């Protein structure tokens, strides 16, 4: 079982570049979410989706876009990368009401 | 944003010892969750608690949902080296699809074999 797959695992961007972090799941879970994890800040919710075609903002959405065209995929787009977006990004799916499955993370550095 | 108070921040123990950690909040939660994160990996859900006073075990791990609904505890008995990692608590507010998690900052556990 693959569960939640995130790509890439590591990425270095220059300020101003754009990129898409990929997240795919094979569990047919309706709810998917993106978090960022920073030292001393814990995990913070960026965007979430309760199903295909439906997305909403989390706690720290600025600078990020999402879309959900299929149940399986929930990509996170950085429009114009900034050093403040250097972080570890996690995609998660929800089983019932609980964030039960996380991907391995994407470690992003913006220089 | 809102965060939970998780303590201790770090622990260094001998293999075989029992471990206790806790989370407190000024808010009432409907759900308490405990996760473990290994280096370079995403969090893994250990235990989910859905009712005040609930006591739930998962192997050597036991967690409790506080009666006031403002706190939760995680105990690990007879620790082993693979228990090393960061343990996070999370509380869940609201109802319906808009339930969001509030996270603690983690307890880092080191086990001396």
């Amino acid at each position: 079982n693959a569960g939640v797959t995130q790509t890439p695992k590591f990425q270095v961007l220059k300020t101003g570049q754009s990129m898409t972090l990929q997240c795919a799941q094979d569990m047919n879970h309706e709810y998917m979410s993106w978090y960022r994890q920073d030292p001393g800040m814990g995990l913070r919710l960026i965007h979430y989706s309760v199903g295909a075609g439906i997305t909403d903002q989390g706690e720290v959405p600025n600078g990020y876009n999402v879309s959900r065209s299929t149940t399986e995929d929930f990509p996170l787009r950085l429009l114009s990368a900034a050093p403040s977006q250097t972080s570890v990004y996690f995609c998660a799916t929800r089983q019932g009401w609980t964030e039960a499955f996380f991907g391995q993370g994407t470690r992003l550095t913006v220089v | 944003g809102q965060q939970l108070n998780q303590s201790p921040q770090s622990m260094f123990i001998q293999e075989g010892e029992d471990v206790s950690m806790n989370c407190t909040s000024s808010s009432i939660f409907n759900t308490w969750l405990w996760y473990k994160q290994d280096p370079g990996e995403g969090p893994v859900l250990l235990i989910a608690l859905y009712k005040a006073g609930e006591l739930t075990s998962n192997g050597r791990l036991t967690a409790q949902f506080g009666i006031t609904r403002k706190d939760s505890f995680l105990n690990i008995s007879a620790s082993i080296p693979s228990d090393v990692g960061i343990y996070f608590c999370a509380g869940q507010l609201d109802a319906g699809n808009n339930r969001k998690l509030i996270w603690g900052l983690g307890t880092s556990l080191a086990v001396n074999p």
Side-chain angles (χ1 to χ4, degrees), chain A residues 64-87:
Chain A
Y64 308 95
N65 267 3
V66 292
S67 59
R68 184 95 179 270
S69 55
T70 66
T71 299
E72 292 77 22
D73 300 299
F74 189 40
L76 178 72
R77 278 181 285 278
L78 278 71
L79 309 172
S80 177
S84 61
Q85 293 179 304
T86 293
S87 187

Side-chain angles (χ1 to χ4, degrees), chain B residues 89-112:
Chain B
C89 63
Q92 198 164 40
L93 299 166
D94 304 322
N97 282 328
N98 203 25
R99 294 186 180 192
K100 295 183 184 132
L101 294 181
I102 309 298
W103 293 81
L105 297 184
T107 293
S108 178
L109 178 64
V111 179
N112 192 27

Side-chain angles (χ1 to χ4, degrees), chain A residues 26-71:
Chain A
D26 61 359
M27 298 171 285
N28 204 35
H29 290 164
E30 292 292 332
Y31 184 103
M32 297 183 73
S33 54
W34 277 102
Y35 288 88
R36 59 177 291 173
Q37 186 176 36
D38 303 291
M41 300 291 290
L43 282 106
R44 292 182 291 169
L45 182 66
I46 305 171
H47 285 285
Y48 67 98
S49 167
V50 299
I54 307 169
T55 63
D56 206 346
Q57 295 181 350
E59 183 185 353
V60 288
N62 292 341
Y64 308 95
N65 267 3
V66 292
S67 59
R68 184 95 179 270
S69 55
T70 66
T71 299

